[in-house]
Amino acid sequence: MQDDKINPLSQKVDDLVSDHQQTDDHTGWFDVLYRNASGNPEQIPWARMQPHPCLKNWLETVEIINKKALVIGCGLGDDSEILAQKGAKVTAFDIAPSSIEWCKKRFPNSSVDYLVADLLKLAPSWKNSFDLIFESRTIQALPLKIRAEVIEAIATLLKPRGTLLIVTHLRETKDSPDGPPWPVSEEELSQLSNYGYEEIARTPYISPNLPSIQQALIEYQRNL
Ligand SMILES: C[S@@+](CC[C@H](N)C(=O)[O-])C[C@H]1O[C@@H](n2cnc3c(N)ncnc32)[C@H](O)[C@@H]1O
């Protein structure tokens, strides 16, 4: 799964995913995985225990002091923490209560507001309210059948003139990939233009673990 499809955790993740999919539950397996890891990040395939390198590089080029930032599907919290260290007022949420518990344990003195929440069931008051949104590998962790809903949920959270950063695996075909992860296509990303998003920059990324997979950090600005 994710950046480590080739490691021995893959089978465990695939089994968990297929168990949950039998009841059309696309997200329940995340909490089971975090809980069963019992604090060992080696049991979380996507855990890096450091911010994403593309986010680190991007942050060298911008000023985000006092920006209202949101991290979607924050996992173990490293990306949220670097945004807070750079001066943003950060809210970070994840659907898995065990991941949020883990973040709070790792960063007890953090200024980040860590919350358990479902991207698809956020309070309407969150809409159009963030200056900066960071989403890393959450879209691709959810199946294609709910992709349009997921992208819409993300798109409506940003203020006009705000910045959205997406880190994702990319796929070139319309065909449904064998996942998870389910890499994102250009056609799916183009849905963002319906909400006033314009692509500003795209930085390709090669993971040392998965050199053959196309990945990128994509920066968007919302124009309306
Ligand atoms: C592949 S992990 C990536 C975690 C982190 N963003 C990273 O890059 O290390 C996907 C994360 O999204 C969370 N997630 C999945 N569906 C979600 C939803 N509907 N709402 C909020 N979080 C969700 C999962 O619990 C998991 O922590």
Side-chain angles (χ1 to χ4, degrees):
M1 160 75 191
Q2 311 295 349
D3 264 6
D4 298 77
K5 186 92 188 172
I6 48 176
N7 83 20
L9 272 178
S10 294
Q11 191 57 50
K12 185 174 162 185
V13 171
D14 288 349
D15 290 348
L16 268 181
V17 173
S18 72
D19 283 355
H20 283 80
Q21 277 180 340
Q22 280 169 23
T23 53
D24 223 22
D25 175 0
H26 306 302
T27 54
W29 64 273
F30 291 104
D31 192 55
V32 179
L33 190 75
Y34 285 116
R35 193 167 359 104
N36 289 351
S38 305
N40 178 2
E42 288 175 13
Q43 293 299 310
I44 304 298
W46 49 83
R48 282 202 176 82
M49 309 310 269
Q50 55 184 302
H52 195 283
C54 289
L55 176 62
K56 271 173 89 172
N57 291 342
W58 186 81
L59 285 169
E60 302 290 315
T61 67
V62 292
E63 173 62 70
I64 60 163
I65 291 178
N66 287 331
K67 297 272 186 205
K68 195 175 167 200
L70 181 68
V71 180
I72 293 171
C74 62
L76 297 185
D78 299 274
D79 300 316
S80 318
E81 291 299 318
I82 194 170
L83 290 166
Q85 283 159 20
K86 296 283 182 184
K89 293 182 247 166
V90 183
T91 300
F93 72 95
D94 200 288
I95 200 165
S98 310
S99 89
I100 294 302
E101 222 174 274
W102 198 334
C103 290
K104 288 181 175 172
K105 214 167 175 176
R106 283 185 75 200
F107 306 110
N109 302 315
S110 175
S111 66
V112 175
D113 190 12
Y114 284 109
L115 302 168
V116 177
D118 181 350
L119 171 63
L120 300 180
K121 294 181 187 157
L122 295 177
S125 59
W126 285 34
K127 286 195 191 305
N128 307 311
S129 67
F130 294 93
D131 302 304
L132 172 63
I133 296 181
F134 182 71
E135 142 9 56
S136 161
R137 303 181 289 172
T138 301
I139 301 175
Q140 70 181 42
L142 295 166
L144 262 54
K145 64 197 286 195
I146 59 167
R147 184 135 302 169
E149 199 186 341
V150 167
I151 291 177
E152 178 181 18
I154 294 172
T156 53
L157 295 168
L158 198 66
K159 279 181 190 167
R161 315 309 294 175
T163 298
L164 167 65
L165 299 175
I166 294 180
V167 172
T168 188
H169 293 191
L170 295 162
R171 74 178 201 278
E172 283 175 357
T173 63
K174 282 188 181 176
D175 302 341
S176 182
D178 180 21
W182 295 276
V184 176
S185 72
E186 295 302 331
E187 190 182 9
E188 290 157 8
L189 289 171
S190 71
Q191 188 191 333
L192 285 167
S193 65
N194 301 339
Y195 303 91
Y197 284 78
E198 179 189 355
E199 183 174 326
I200 300 295
R202 185 176 292 216
T203 310
Y205 173 67
I206 305 284
S207 157
N209 294 341
L210 284 179
S212 60
I213 305 282
Q214 230 193 312
Q215 302 186 52
L217 175 139
I218 311 175
E219 176 181 351
Y220 294 92
Q221 179 175 287
R222 187 172 192 188
N223 293 325
L224 49 96

